[in-house]
Amino acid sequence: MDSLSSIKTTLRGLAERYDYFVFDCDGVIWHGNKPIGDTFRNLELLAGLGKSIFFVTNLAAVSRKGLAAKMLSTPFNFKVNPKTLYPASTLAGLHVR
């Protein structure tokens, strides 16, 4: 079994067990403006299976809207609902409320 088939098998196994997935952004799904590995292909697979995907980042200078724009831009090309994005500024605001 090649590594891509192995990853898909593992990912499908996780998707069978869980409905919600949380990913850190910087250093996990991207580094700067470059995706890490096949992360976005795997996110598309999870989204295609109807899984709920949430993203967190410790960047405080970026908004949900800014993160959504970055994910939609090249090379990521991943459409995401801004309500599933949690930068540090949003989390701090939610905590203070």
Side-chain angles (χ1 to χ4, degrees):
M1 178 183 303
D2 67 19
S3 62
L4 182 57
S5 295
S6 177
I7 290 169
K8 283 185 177 180
T9 300
T10 302
L11 189 58
R12 287 186 193 280
L14 286 170
E16 287 174 9
R17 294 182 64 194
Y18 302 102
D19 293 324
Y20 300 91
F21 292 82
V22 179
F23 295 94
D24 184 24
C25 296
D26 298 297
V28 176
I29 65 170
W30 65 55
H31 182 71
N33 287 322
K34 294 182 180 180
I36 295 176
D38 292 324
T39 301
F40 284 88
R41 184 177 4 192
N42 295 330
L43 292 172
E44 290 285 354
L45 179 74
L46 289 172
L49 293 171
K51 302 303 173 177
S52 296
I53 307 169
F54 298 90
F55 301 91
V56 297
T57 180
N58 60 355
L59 289 177
V62 66
S63 66
R64 284 176 155 177
K65 190 175 181 180
L67 275 177
K70 179 174 182 169
M71 293 178 108
L72 190 56
S73 70
T74 302
F76 309 115
N77 304 314
F78 186 74
K79 187 173 183 179
V80 63
N81 181 338
K83 291 183 179 181
T84 65
L85 303 172
Y86 290 91
S89 56
T90 299
L91 292 171
L94 291 171
H95 179 72
V96 171
R97 236 193 293 184

